[in-house]
Amino acid sequence: MPGRRLRPSLRLLGATAAIALIAVPSFAQTPMDDPLDARDAKRVDRMEKVVRELRDIVFKAQKTGAPVVVQPADTDARIAEQASRIADLEQTLTRLNGSLDAATHELDQTKRDNGALKAQLKALSDRLTADEQKAADAFAAAAQAGPPPPPEPPPQAADPKAAAADAFAKARQLMLSGDYDAAESAFSAYVTSYPDTPRTSEARYWWGKTLMVRGDSVKAAGAFIGAIRGWPQTAWAPDAVVELSRALTALKKPADACQTLGELERKYPKAPASVKTRAAVVRTQAKCG
């Protein structure tokens, strides 16, 4: 608390000092019937302290004549202590307010999340209900419609010979039209589907021709070997031998190519001139002796 300024006159100060000097000893030396308890003793000590401070003020004013500022140390200390406690309480309250704000924010976020989850659950429930209703409607419709009609009998199998002839004719037509990719697939399917028909060997021959056009010498050589197995006496057989020799030459097997060309002279001595001319070209490419 602020200090008090005293400007007493000399006469007033003298009277006050006299009263103080007389009162203090009288108060201190008065005998007491009962001993003081701890609380009363403290009160007496505080009163004596105040009297001493007043006496000092009076003496100082008499000597100097200057105003005196009184600063009660005990009151200032208590004020400072209370101010410190108030500051601590304010900090604690600030922390509590911050924690409360954070908890409130988390609670609001949780409420929003719960609301979104409830909306999703409701949407899923509605979809499930709709699906169940659709399934029930479909079941009811099926029950009203009665049992399904019996399956149609499978179509009767076509004549194998006629089917084979038709497949061969389609494959040959594809080759004549220049569609070698489709012709290769058609002849390959024919050989797989009809391995024992009278035209299977010829199909292998034409299959080998389409493979040579596509540059697949490995598969072509296998197709030609299957075509001339048994050395058939057909119009296409001598050309199949030449084509086999050409495939072997492309595969870097000139000895096998030359041996195959030697069989051409023995097995097909009456081969057409065009076939023999092509055989001579292959013989030169294979460097036959």
Side-chain angles (χ1 to χ4, degrees), residues 204-261:
R204 290 182 181 275
Y205 162 67
W206 293 116
W207 182 30
K209 295 280 278 189
T210 59
L211 290 169
M212 287 297 291
V213 172
R214 299 182 62 188
D216 193 346
S217 301
V218 176
K219 287 185 178 181
F224 290 129
I225 290 174
I228 63 174
R229 184 176 290 112
W231 304 102
Q233 298 298 317
T234 60
W236 51 265
D239 186 69
V241 175
V242 176
E243 289 295 326
L244 175 58
S245 301
R246 194 160 69 93
L248 292 172
T249 302
L251 293 173
K252 308 299 182 182
K253 296 183 178 181
D256 294 337
C258 294
Q259 183 179 359
T260 301
L261 290 174

CSV table of all heavy atoms in Angstrom, one decimal, residues 204-261:
chain,number,residue,atom,x,y,z
A,204,ARG,N,-1.3,-80.8,-95.1
A,204,ARG,CA,0.0,-80.5,-94.5
A,204,ARG,C,0.9,-79.8,-95.5
A,204,ARG,O,1.7,-78.9,-95.2
A,204,ARG,CB,0.7,-81.8,-94.0
A,204,ARG,CG,0.0,-82.4,-92.8
A,204,ARG,CD,0.7,-83.7,-92.4
A,204,ARG,NE,0.1,-84.3,-91.2
A,204,ARG,CZ,0.3,-84.0,-90.0
A,204,ARG,NH1,1.2,-83.0,-89.7
A,204,ARG,NH2,-0.3,-84.7,-89.0
A,205,TYR,N,0.8,-80.2,-96.8
A,205,TYR,CA,1.6,-79.6,-97.8
A,205,TYR,C,1.3,-78.1,-97.9
A,205,TYR,O,2.1,-77.2,-97.9
A,205,TYR,CB,1.4,-80.3,-99.1
A,205,TYR,CG,1.9,-79.6,-100.3
A,205,TYR,CD1,3.2,-79.3,-100.6
A,205,TYR,CD2,0.9,-79.1,-101.3
A,205,TYR,CE1,3.6,-78.6,-101.7
A,205,TYR,CE2,1.3,-78.4,-102.4
A,205,TYR,CZ,2.6,-78.1,-102.6
A,205,TYR,OH,3.0,-77.4,-103.7
A,206,TRP,N,0.0,-77.8,-98.1
A,206,TRP,CA,-0.4,-76.4,-98.2
A,206,TRP,C,-0.2,-75.6,-96.9
A,206,TRP,O,0.1,-74.4,-97.0
A,206,TRP,CB,-1.9,-76.3,-98.6
A,206,TRP,CG,-2.2,-76.9,-99.9
A,206,TRP,CD1,-3.0,-77.9,-100.2
A,206,TRP,CD2,-1.8,-76.3,-101.2
A,206,TRP,NE1,-3.0,-78.2,-101.6
A,206,TRP,CE2,-2.3,-77.1,-102.2
A,206,TRP,CE3,-1.0,-75.3,-101.5
A,206,TRP,CZ2,-2.0,-76.9,-103.5
A,206,TRP,CZ3,-0.7,-75.0,-102.9
A,206,TRP,CH2,-1.3,-75.9,-103.9
A,207,TRP,N,-0.3,-76.3,-95.8
A,207,TRP,CA,0.0,-75.6,-94.5
A,207,TRP,C,1.5,-75.2,-94.5
A,207,TRP,O,1.9,-74.1,-94.1
A,207,TRP,CB,-0.3,-76.6,-93.4
A,207,TRP,CG,0.0,-76.0,-92.0
A,207,TRP,CD1,-0.1,-74.7,-91.6
A,207,TRP,CD2,0.4,-76.7,-90.8
A,207,TRP,NE1,0.2,-74.6,-90.3
A,207,TRP,CE2,0.5,-75.8,-89.8
A,207,TRP,CE3,0.6,-78.1,-90.6
A,207,TRP,CZ2,0.8,-76.2,-88.5
A,207,TRP,CZ3,0.9,-78.5,-89.3
A,207,TRP,CH2,1.1,-77.5,-88.3
A,208,GLY,N,2.4,-76.1,-95.0
A,208,GLY,CA,3.8,-75.8,-95.1
A,208,GLY,C,4.1,-74.6,-96.0
A,208,GLY,O,5.0,-73.8,-95.7
A,209,LYS,N,3.3,-74.6,-97.1
A,209,LYS,CA,3.5,-73.5,-98.1
A,209,LYS,C,3.2,-72.1,-97.4
A,209,LYS,O,3.9,-71.1,-97.6
A,209,LYS,CB,2.6,-73.7,-99.3
A,209,LYS,CG,2.9,-74.9,-100.1
A,209,LYS,CD,4.1,-74.7,-101.0
A,209,LYS,CE,3.7,-74.0,-102.3
A,209,LYS,NZ,4.7,-73.9,-103.3
A,210,THR,N,2.1,-72.1,-96.6
A,210,THR,CA,1.7,-70.8,-95.9
A,210,THR,C,2.8,-70.4,-94.9
A,210,THR,O,3.1,-69.3,-94.7
A,210,THR,CB,0.4,-70.9,-95.3
A,210,THR,OG1,0.4,-72.0,-94.3
A,210,THR,CG2,-0.7,-71.2,-96.3
A,211,LEU,N,3.3,-71.4,-94.2
A,211,LEU,CA,4.4,-71.2,-93.2
A,211,LEU,C,5.6,-70.6,-93.9
A,211,LEU,O,6.3,-69.7,-93.3
A,211,LEU,CB,4.7,-72.4,-92.4
A,211,LEU,CG,3.6,-72.9,-91.5
A,211,LEU,CD1,3.9,-74.3,-91.0
A,211,LEU,CD2,3.4,-72.0,-90.3
A,212,MET,N,6.0,-71.1,-95.0
A,212,MET,CA,7.2,-70.6,-95.7
A,212,MET,C,6.9,-69.2,-96.1
A,212,MET,O,7.9,-68.3,-96.1
A,212,MET,CB,7.5,-71.5,-97.0
A,212,MET,CG,8.1,-72.8,-96.6
A,212,MET,SD,9.7,-72.7,-95.8
A,212,MET,CE,10.7,-72.1,-97.2
A,213,VAL,N,5.7,-68.8,-96.6
A,213,VAL,CA,5.4,-67.4,-96.9
A,213,VAL,C,5.6,-66.5,-95.7
A,213,VAL,O,6.1,-65.4,-95.8
A,213,VAL,CB,4.0,-67.3,-97.5
A,213,VAL,CG1,3.6,-65.9,-97.7
A,213,VAL,CG2,3.9,-68.1,-98.8
A,214,ARG,N,5.2,-67.0,-94.5
A,214,ARG,CA,5.3,-66.2,-93.3
A,214,ARG,C,6.7,-66.3,-92.7
A,214,ARG,O,7.0,-65.6,-91.7
A,214,ARG,CB,4.3,-66.7,-92.3
A,214,ARG,CG,2.9,-66.6,-92.7
A,214,ARG,CD,1.9,-67.1,-91.7
A,214,ARG,NE,2.0,-66.3,-90.5
A,214,ARG,CZ,1.4,-66.5,-89.3
A,214,ARG,NH1,0.6,-67.6,-89.2
A,214,ARG,NH2,1.5,-65.7,-88.3
A,215,GLY,N,7.7,-67.1,-93.3
A,215,GLY,CA,9.0,-67.2,-92.8
A,215,GLY,C,9.3,-68.1,-91.6
A,215,GLY,O,10.3,-68.0,-91.0
A,216,ASP,N,8.3,-69.0,-91.3
A,216,ASP,CA,8.5,-69.9,-90.2
A,216,ASP,C,9.0,-71.2,-90.8
A,216,ASP,O,8.3,-72.2,-91.1
A,216,ASP,CB,7.2,-70.1,-89.5
A,216,ASP,CG,7.3,-70.8,-88.2
A,216,ASP,OD1,8.4,-71.4,-87.9
A,216,ASP,OD2,6.4,-70.8,-87.4
A,217,SER,N,10.4,-71.3,-91.0
A,217,SER,CA,11.0,-72.4,-91.7
A,217,SER,C,10.9,-73.7,-90.8
A,217,SER,O,10.8,-74.8,-91.3
A,217,SER,CB,12.4,-72.1,-92.0
A,217,SER,OG,12.5,-71.0,-92.9
A,218,VAL,N,11.0,-73.5,-89.5
A,218,VAL,CA,11.0,-74.7,-88.6
A,218,VAL,C,9.6,-75.5,-88.7
A,218,VAL,O,9.6,-76.7,-89.0
A,218,VAL,CB,11.2,-74.2,-87.1
A,218,VAL,CG1,11.1,-75.4,-86.2
A,218,VAL,CG2,12.6,-73.6,-87.0
A,219,LYS,N,8.5,-74.8,-88.5
A,219,LYS,CA,7.2,-75.4,-88.6
A,219,LYS,C,7.0,-75.9,-90.1
A,219,LYS,O,6.3,-76.9,-90.3
A,219,LYS,CB,6.1,-74.5,-88.2
A,219,LYS,CG,6.1,-74.2,-86.7
A,219,LYS,CD,4.9,-73.4,-86.3
A,219,LYS,CE,4.8,-73.2,-84.8
A,219,LYS,NZ,3.6,-72.3,-84.5
A,220,ALA,N,7.5,-75.1,-91.0
A,220,ALA,CA,7.3,-75.5,-92.4
A,220,ALA,C,7.9,-76.9,-92.7
A,220,ALA,O,7.4,-77.7,-93.4
A,220,ALA,CB,7.8,-74.4,-93.4
A,221,ALA,N,9.2,-77.0,-92.2
A,221,ALA,CA,9.9,-78.3,-92.5
A,221,ALA,C,9.1,-79.4,-91.8
A,221,ALA,O,9.0,-80.5,-92.5
A,221,ALA,CB,11.3,-78.2,-91.9
A,222,GLY,N,8.6,-79.3,-90.7
A,222,GLY,CA,7.8,-80.3,-90.0
A,222,GLY,C,6.5,-80.7,-90.8
A,222,GLY,O,6.1,-81.8,-91.0
A,223,ALA,N,5.9,-79.6,-91.4
A,223,ALA,CA,4.7,-79.9,-92.2
A,223,ALA,C,5.0,-80.6,-93.4
A,223,ALA,O,4.3,-81.6,-93.8
A,223,ALA,CB,4.0,-78.5,-92.5
A,224,PHE,N,6.1,-80.3,-94.1
A,224,PHE,CA,6.5,-81.0,-95.4
A,224,PHE,C,6.9,-82.4,-95.1
A,224,PHE,O,6.6,-83.3,-95.9
A,224,PHE,CB,7.6,-80.2,-96.1
A,224,PHE,CG,7.1,-78.9,-96.7
A,224,PHE,CD1,7.8,-77.7,-96.4
A,224,PHE,CD2,6.0,-78.8,-97.5
A,224,PHE,CE1,7.4,-76.5,-96.9
A,224,PHE,CE2,5.6,-77.6,-98.0
A,224,PHE,CZ,6.3,-76.5,-97.8
A,225,ILE,N,7.6,-82.6,-94.0
A,225,ILE,CA,8.0,-84.0,-93.6
A,225,ILE,C,6.7,-84.9,-93.4
A,225,ILE,O,6.6,-86.0,-93.9
A,225,ILE,CB,8.9,-84.0,-92.4
A,225,ILE,CG1,10.2,-83.4,-92.7
A,225,ILE,CG2,9.0,-85.4,-91.9
A,225,ILE,CD1,11.1,-83.2,-91.5
A,226,GLY,N,5.7,-84.3,-92.8
A,226,GLY,CA,4.5,-85.0,-92.6
A,226,GLY,C,3.7,-85.2,-93.9
A,226,GLY,O,3.0,-86.3,-94.1
A,227,ALA,N,3.9,-84.3,-94.8
A,227,ALA,CA,3.2,-84.4,-96.1
A,227,ALA,C,3.7,-85.5,-97.0
A,227,ALA,O,3.0,-86.3,-97.6
A,227,ALA,CB,3.2,-83.1,-96.8
A,228,ILE,N,5.1,-85.7,-97.0
A,228,ILE,CA,5.7,-86.7,-97.9
A,228,ILE,C,6.0,-88.0,-97.2
A,228,ILE,O,6.7,-88.8,-97.8
A,228,ILE,CB,7.0,-86.1,-98.6
A,228,ILE,CG1,8.0,-85.8,-97.5
A,228,ILE,CG2,6.7,-84.8,-99.4
A,228,ILE,CD1,9.4,-85.3,-98.1
A,229,ARG,N,5.5,-88.1,-96.0
A,229,ARG,CA,5.8,-89.4,-95.3
A,229,ARG,C,5.1,-90.5,-96.1
A,229,ARG,O,3.9,-90.5,-96.5
A,229,ARG,CB,5.2,-89.4,-93.9
A,229,ARG,CG,5.5,-90.7,-93.1
A,229,ARG,CD,5.0,-90.6,-91.7
A,229,ARG,NE,5.8,-89.6,-90.9
A,229,ARG,CZ,5.3,-88.5,-90.4
A,229,ARG,NH1,4.1,-88.1,-90.7
A,229,ARG,NH2,6.1,-87.7,-89.7
A,230,GLY,N,5.9,-91.5,-96.5
A,230,GLY,CA,5.5,-92.6,-97.3
A,230,GLY,C,5.6,-92.3,-98.8
A,230,GLY,O,5.3,-93.2,-99.7
A,231,TRP,N,6.2,-91.2,-99.2
A,231,TRP,CA,6.4,-90.8,-100.6
A,231,TRP,C,5.1,-91.0,-101.4
A,231,TRP,O,5.1,-91.9,-102.3
A,231,TRP,CB,7.6,-91.5,-101.2
A,231,TRP,CG,8.9,-91.3,-100.4
A,231,TRP,CD1,9.4,-92.2,-99.5
A,231,TRP,CD2,9.7,-90.2,-100.4
A,231,TRP,NE1,10.6,-91.8,-98.9
A,231,TRP,CE2,10.8,-90.5,-99.5
A,231,TRP,CE3,9.7,-89.0,-101.0
A,231,TRP,CZ2,11.8,-89.6,-99.2
A,231,TRP,CZ3,10.7,-88.1,-100.8
A,231,TRP,CH2,11.8,-88.4,-99.9
A,232,PRO,N,4.1,-90.3,-101.2
A,232,PRO,CA,2.9,-90.5,-101.9
A,232,PRO,C,3.1,-90.1,-103.4
A,232,PRO,O,3.8,-89.2,-103.7
A,232,PRO,CB,1.9,-89.6,-101.2
A,232,PRO,CG,2.7,-88.5,-100.6
A,232,PRO,CD,4.0,-89.1,-100.2
A,233,GLN,N,2.3,-90.8,-104.3
A,233,GLN,CA,2.4,-90.5,-105.7
A,233,GLN,C,1.2,-89.6,-106.1
A,233,GLN,O,0.2,-90.0,-106.6
A,233,GLN,CB,2.3,-91.8,-106.5
A,233,GLN,CG,3.5,-92.8,-106.2
A,233,GLN,CD,4.8,-92.2,-106.6
A,233,GLN,OE1,4.9,-91.6,-107.7
A,233,GLN,NE2,5.8,-92.4,-105.8
A,234,THR,N,1.5,-88.3,-105.8
A,234,THR,CA,0.5,-87.3,-106.1
A,234,THR,C,1.1,-86.1,-106.8
A,234,THR,O,2.3,-86.0,-106.9
A,234,THR,CB,-0.1,-86.7,-104.8
A,234,THR,OG1,0.9,-86.1,-104.0
A,234,THR,CG2,-0.8,-87.8,-104.0
A,235,ALA,N,0.3,-85.3,-107.4
A,235,ALA,CA,0.8,-84.2,-108.2
A,235,ALA,C,1.6,-83.2,-107.4
A,235,ALA,O,2.6,-82.6,-107.9
A,235,ALA,CB,-0.3,-83.5,-108.9
A,236,TRP,N,1.2,-83.0,-106.1
A,236,TRP,CA,1.9,-82.0,-105.3
A,236,TRP,C,3.1,-82.6,-104.6
A,236,TRP,O,3.9,-81.8,-104.0
A,236,TRP,CB,0.9,-81.5,-104.2
A,236,TRP,CG,0.2,-82.5,-103.4
A,236,TRP,CD1,-1.0,-83.0,-103.7
A,236,TRP,CD2,0.7,-83.2,-102.3
A,236,TRP,NE1,-1.4,-84.0,-102.8
A,236,TRP,CE2,-0.3,-84.1,-101.9
A,236,TRP,CE3,1.9,-83.2,-101.6
A,236,TRP,CZ2,-0.2,-85.0,-100.8
A,236,TRP,CZ3,2.0,-84.0,-100.5
A,236,TRP,CH2,1.0,-84.9,-100.1
A,237,ALA,N,3.4,-83.9,-104.5
A,237,ALA,CA,4.4,-84.5,-103.7
A,237,ALA,C,5.8,-84.1,-104.2
A,237,ALA,O,6.7,-83.7,-103.3
A,237,ALA,CB,4.3,-86.0,-103.8
A,238,PRO,N,6.2,-84.0,-105.5
A,238,PRO,CA,7.5,-83.6,-105.9
A,238,PRO,C,7.8,-82.1,-105.4
A,238,PRO,O,8.9,-81.8,-105.0
A,238,PRO,CB,7.5,-83.6,-107.4
A,238,PRO,CG,6.5,-84.7,-107.7
A,238,PRO,CD,5.4,-84.5,-106.7
A,239,ASP,N,6.8,-81.2,-105.5
A,239,ASP,CA,7.0,-79.9,-105.1
A,239,ASP,C,7.2,-79.8,-103.5
A,239,ASP,O,8.0,-79.0,-103.0
A,239,ASP,CB,5.8,-79.0,-105.5
A,239,ASP,CG,6.0,-77.5,-105.1
A,239,ASP,OD1,6.9,-76.9,-105.8
A,239,ASP,OD2,5.4,-77.0,-104.2
A,240,ALA,N,6.5,-80.7,-102.8
A,240,ALA,CA,6.7,-80.8,-101.4
A,240,ALA,C,8.1,-81.1,-101.0
A,240,ALA,O,8.7,-80.6,-100.0
A,240,ALA,CB,5.7,-81.8,-100.8
A,241,VAL,N,8.8,-82.1,-101.8
A,241,VAL,CA,10.2,-82.4,-101.6
A,241,VAL,C,11.1,-81.2,-101.8
A,241,VAL,O,12.0,-80.9,-101.0
A,241,VAL,CB,10.6,-83.6,-102.5
A,241,VAL,CG1,12.1,-83.9,-102.4
A,241,VAL,CG2,9.8,-84.8,-102.2
A,242,VAL,N,10.8,-80.5,-102.9
A,242,VAL,CA,11.7,-79.3,-103.1
A,242,VAL,C,11.5,-78.2,-102.0
A,242,VAL,O,12.4,-77.6,-101.5
A,242,VAL,CB,11.3,-78.7,-104.5
A,242,VAL,CG1,12.1,-77.4,-104.7
A,242,VAL,CG2,11.6,-79.6,-105.6
A,243,GLU,N,10.2,-78.1,-101.5
A,243,GLU,CA,10.0,-77.1,-100.5
A,243,GLU,C,10.6,-77.5,-99.2
A,243,GLU,O,11.1,-76.7,-98.4
A,243,GLU,CB,8.5,-76.9,-100.3
A,243,GLU,CG,7.7,-76.2,-101.4
A,243,GLU,CD,8.2,-74.8,-101.5
A,243,GLU,OE1,8.5,-74.1,-100.5
A,243,GLU,OE2,8.2,-74.3,-102.6
A,244,LEU,N,10.7,-78.8,-98.9
A,244,LEU,CA,11.4,-79.3,-97.7
A,244,LEU,C,12.9,-79.0,-97.8
A,244,LEU,O,13.5,-78.6,-96.8
A,244,LEU,CB,11.1,-80.8,-97.6
A,244,LEU,CG,11.9,-81.5,-96.4
A,244,LEU,CD1,11.6,-80.8,-95.1
A,244,LEU,CD2,11.6,-83.0,-96.4
A,245,SER,N,13.4,-79.2,-99.0
A,245,SER,CA,14.9,-78.9,-99.2
A,245,SER,C,15.1,-77.4,-99.0
A,245,SER,O,16.1,-77.0,-98.4
A,245,SER,CB,15.3,-79.3,-100.6
A,245,SER,OG,15.1,-80.7,-100.8
A,246,ARG,N,14.2,-76.6,-99.5
A,246,ARG,CA,14.4,-75.1,-99.3
A,246,ARG,C,14.3,-74.7,-97.8
A,246,ARG,O,15.1,-73.9,-97.4
A,246,ARG,CB,13.3,-74.4,-100.1
A,246,ARG,CG,13.6,-72.9,-100.3
A,246,ARG,CD,12.8,-72.4,-101.5
A,246,ARG,NE,11.3,-72.4,-101.2
A,246,ARG,CZ,10.7,-71.4,-100.7
A,246,ARG,NH1,11.3,-70.2,-100.4
A,246,ARG,NH2,9.4,-71.4,-100.5
A,247,ALA,N,13.4,-75.4,-97.1
A,247,ALA,CA,13.3,-75.1,-95.6
A,247,ALA,C,14.5,-75.5,-94.9
A,247,ALA,O,15.0,-74.8,-94.0
A,247,ALA,CB,12.0,-75.7,-95.1
A,248,LEU,N,15.1,-76.7,-95.3
A,248,LEU,CA,16.3,-77.1,-94.6
A,248,LEU,C,17.5,-76.2,-94.9
A,248,LEU,O,18.4,-76.0,-94.1
A,248,LEU,CB,16.6,-78.6,-95.1
A,248,LEU,CG,15.6,-79.6,-94.6
A,248,LEU,CD1,15.9,-81.0,-95.2
A,248,LEU,CD2,15.7,-79.8,-93.1
A,249,THR,N,17.5,-75.7,-96.1
A,249,THR,CA,18.6,-74.8,-96.5
A,249,THR,C,18.5,-73.5,-95.6
A,249,THR,O,19.5,-72.9,-95.2
A,249,THR,CB,18.6,-74.4,-98.0
A,249,THR,OG1,18.7,-75.6,-98.7
A,249,THR,CG2,19.7,-73.5,-98.4
A,250,ALA,N,17.3,-73.0,-95.4
A,250,ALA,CA,17.1,-71.8,-94.6
A,250,ALA,C,17.4,-72.1,-93.2
A,250,ALA,O,17.8,-71.1,-92.5
A,250,ALA,CB,15.6,-71.4,-94.7
A,251,LEU,N,17.3,-73.3,-92.7
A,251,LEU,CA,17.7,-73.7,-91.4
A,251,LEU,C,19.2,-74.0,-91.2
A,251,LEU,O,19.6,-74.5,-90.1
A,251,LEU,CB,16.8,-74.9,-90.9
A,251,LEU,CG,15.3,-74.6,-90.7
A,251,LEU,CD1,14.6,-75.9,-90.4
A,251,LEU,CD2,15.1,-73.6,-89.7
A,252,LYS,N,20.0,-73.7,-92.2
A,252,LYS,CA,21.4,-74.0,-92.2
A,252,LYS,C,21.8,-75.4,-92.1
A,252,LYS,O,22.7,-75.9,-91.4
A,252,LYS,CB,22.1,-73.2,-91.0
A,252,LYS,CG,21.8,-71.7,-91.0
A,252,LYS,CD,22.2,-71.0,-92.2
A,252,LYS,CE,21.9,-69.5,-92.1
A,252,LYS,NZ,22.3,-68.7,-93.3
A,253,LYS,N,21.0,-76.2,-92.8
A,253,LYS,CA,21.2,-77.7,-92.9
A,253,LYS,C,21.4,-78.1,-94.3
A,253,LYS,O,20.5,-78.8,-94.9
A,253,LYS,CB,20.1,-78.4,-92.2
A,253,LYS,CG,20.0,-78.2,-90.7
A,253,LYS,CD,18.9,-79.0,-90.1
A,253,LYS,CE,18.8,-78.8,-88.6
A,253,LYS,NZ,17.7,-79.6,-87.9
A,254,PRO,N,22.5,-77.7,-95.0
A,254,PRO,CA,22.6,-78.0,-96.4
A,254,PRO,C,22.8,-79.5,-96.7
A,254,PRO,O,22.3,-79.9,-97.8
A,254,PRO,CB,23.9,-77.2,-96.8
A,254,PRO,CG,24.6,-77.0,-95.5
A,254,PRO,CD,23.6,-76.9,-94.4
A,255,ALA,N,23.4,-80.2,-95.8
A,255,ALA,CA,23.6,-81.7,-96.1
A,255,ALA,C,22.3,-82.4,-96.2
A,255,ALA,O,22.0,-83.2,-97.1
A,255,ALA,CB,24.5,-82.3,-95.0
A,256,ASP,N,21.4,-82.0,-95.2
A,256,ASP,CA,20.0,-82.6,-95.2
A,256,ASP,C,19.3,-82.2,-96.5
A,256,ASP,O,18.5,-83.0,-97.1
A,256,ASP,CB,19.3,-82.2,-94.0
A,256,ASP,CG,19.9,-82.8,-92.7
A,256,ASP,OD1,20.6,-83.8,-92.9
A,256,ASP,OD2,19.7,-82.3,-91.6
A,257,ALA,N,19.5,-80.9,-96.9
A,257,ALA,CA,18.8,-80.4,-98.1
A,257,ALA,C,19.2,-81.2,-99.3
A,257,ALA,O,18.4,-81.6,-100.2
A,257,ALA,CB,19.0,-78.9,-98.2
A,258,CYS,N,20.5,-81.4,-99.4
A,258,CYS,CA,21.1,-82.1,-100.6
A,258,CYS,C,20.6,-83.5,-100.6
A,258,CYS,O,20.3,-84.1,-101.7
A,258,CYS,CB,22.6,-82.0,-100.6
A,258,CYS,SG,23.2,-80.3,-100.8
A,259,GLN,N,20.6,-84.2,-99.5
A,259,GLN,CA,20.1,-85.6,-99.4
A,259,GLN,C,18.6,-85.7,-99.8
A,259,GLN,O,18.2,-86.6,-100.5
A,259,GLN,CB,20.3,-86.1,-98.0
A,259,GLN,CG,19.9,-87.6,-97.8
A,259,GLN,CD,20.1,-88.1,-96.4
A,259,GLN,OE1,20.6,-87.3,-95.6
A,259,GLN,NE2,19.7,-89.3,-96.2
A,260,THR,N,17.8,-84.7,-99.4
A,260,THR,CA,16.4,-84.7,-99.8
A,260,THR,C,16.3,-84.5,-101.3
A,260,THR,O,15.4,-85.1,-101.9
A,260,THR,CB,15.7,-83.6,-99.0
A,260,THR,OG1,15.8,-83.8,-97.6
A,260,THR,CG2,14.2,-83.6,-99.4
A,261,LEU,N,17.1,-83.6,-101.9
A,261,LEU,CA,17.0,-83.4,-103.3
A,261,LEU,C,17.4,-84.7,-104.1
A,261,LEU,O,16.9,-84.9,-105.2
A,261,LEU,CB,17.9,-82.2,-103.7
A,261,LEU,CG,17.4,-80.8,-103.3
A,261,LEU,CD1,18.4,-79.8,-103.6
A,261,LEU,CD2,16.1,-80.5,-104.0
